[in-house]
Amino acid sequence: MLIGAHVSTAGGASKAIGRAEEIGAECMQIFASSPRAWKVPPMAESEVEKFKAESERAGMGPTVVHGKYLCAIGSPDPELVEKSVAALTAELQTATQLGALGVIFHPASHRGQGFEAALPQFTDSMKRILDDVPGETLLMLETSAGSGDHIGSKFNELAQIIRSVDDPRVAVCLDTQHVWAAGYNIADSGGLEETIKEFDSEIGLDLLRSVHANDSKRELGSSVDRHDNIGEGLIGSDGFKNIMGHSAFADVPFYLEVPGFEKKGPDAPNVEALKKIRG
Ligand SMILES: [Zn+2]
Ligand SMILES: [Zn+2]
């Protein structure tokens, strides 16, 4: 189990590796471009080479790319779906160039049309993205907290999407805060066992390829997406001891997306906290 964090790519993707090293991360998550703009400029070949050389030097990896928060391939607005498909395709392209494990993206909201209605276009969109970018880089659906009309707060919804897309490159990123907010009590050993059982029967544990390791500011089942520093939230250090001790997570990389003790994002104390729990 490797412990990593989301880090900034300011100044170029290759700069992220030094930042990850500085906080003690063993693997990292990055954005392919600004998460708040639609444009995904192609990465220069020279930057890709620098990135690979730096990753190799630092022994950093696997790297994952987080998709834009703007994307919503389950939306009833065709223009938004097209923009989302284009962005995710470009992000998968960048991830492939960088030799990343995959792109993690939010299923986002169906915006009132209902999951069943959104499923065909969601499936079609994922197929188009995968078809446009050959290779082995994964497209990972992230579990959601379940606020509003968000897709993916129940493992069964992700399972339906996965079956419908039917591609070996589709996998899942489990966000500890999101599943907690969605009502899965992973802090408790019985609750975790039930959660893992449900994940395995609905999705299959072999598709669990990454974890977003975040404590929670909000209570179990709140449906609210609010990350906290490890040990400061309601999942707590004991909760993470429970999670990290489970065999289902033994070979899965963990990526922190916490606010940070100085509110500057994932930091050394959070990485250290997870490492201590891992033992
Ligand atoms: Zn995410
Ligand atoms: Zn979140």
Side-chain angles (χ1 to χ4, degrees), residues 175 178 225 227:
D175 186 308
H178 298 177
D225 181 349
H227 304 184

Side-chain angles (χ1 to χ4, degrees), residues 29 66 69 104-106 142 175 178 212 227 257:
Q29 173 176 280
H66 198 297
Y69 306 128
I104 295 168
F105 76 104
H106 295 181
E142 179 171 345
D175 186 308
H178 298 177
H212 280 162
H227 304 184
E257 295 177 317

Side-chain angles (χ1 to χ4, degrees), residues 232-266:
E232 291 214 309
L234 295 167
I235 296 174
S237 297
D238 285 344
F240 276 93
K241 215 170 275 174
N242 187 41
I243 296 161
M244 296 177 88
H246 198 288
S247 61
F249 298 106
D251 297 319
V252 182
F254 277 46
Y255 302 93
L256 288 155
E257 295 177 317
V258 292
F261 289 97
E262 280 166 23
K263 302 206 160 45
K264 289 178 182 159

Side-chain angles (χ1 to χ4, degrees), residues 89-111:
T89 303
E91 287 166 333
L92 188 60
Q93 183 67 53
T94 299
T96 303
Q97 276 181 287
L98 295 176
L101 175 66
V103 171
I104 295 168
F105 76 104
H106 295 181
S109 175
H110 57 65
R111 305 207 181 192

